[in-house]
Amino acid sequence: MSRNPIRAYLFQEGELWVAQALEVDVAVQGVTRADVLHRLGTAVRAYFIAWIAGASALPEPAPAHFEELFKKAPSTRKLTLAVGVSVSISTDDKQLE
């Protein structure tokens, strides 16, 4: 069974970090980058569990402007979530490089 990566755009909004998944319209906020990445993994996993159980609609991608922001972001990292999907995180924060 092949797995497709779930990419996410990571950015700051005020004092909070935000991660928006691109392949599914799931977004989370957190106080730290580590917090938001953990929350994203949990939220994406919960979304797919609900979808498999028939409790949510078919996955829809995030709004198109997030794809454009992701493409223009200067740094990219890949992480593996507990659900076994890869997530690419793109941010202009030099601390993540």
Side-chain angles (χ1 to χ4, degrees), residues 17-31:
W17 283 94
V18 179
Q20 170 69 55
L22 300 180
E23 285 73 23
V24 292
D25 192 11
V26 173
V28 295
Q29 294 180 328
V31 177

Side-chain angles (χ1 to χ4, degrees), residues 29-70:
Q29 294 180 328
V31 177
T32 65
R33 290 183 306 270
D35 182 37
V36 81
L37 295 177
H38 173 75
R39 289 176 185 222
L40 180 64
T42 301
V44 168
R45 182 174 184 270
Y47 181 87
F48 280 110
I49 288 171
W51 177 62
I52 290 167
S56 69
L58 288 172
E60 291 189 28
H65 71 276
F66 284 107
E67 181 74 35
E68 292 305 314
L69 290 169
F70 180 85

Side-chain angles (χ1 to χ4, degrees), residues 68-92:
E68 292 305 314
L69 290 169
F70 180 85
K71 288 177 183 176
K72 293 176 183 177
S75 64
T76 302
R77 289 191 175 199
K78 288 186 177 182
L79 303 172
T80 301
L81 298 177
V83 292
V85 296
S86 296
V87 174
S88 298
I89 303 296
S90 183
T91 180
D92 57 5

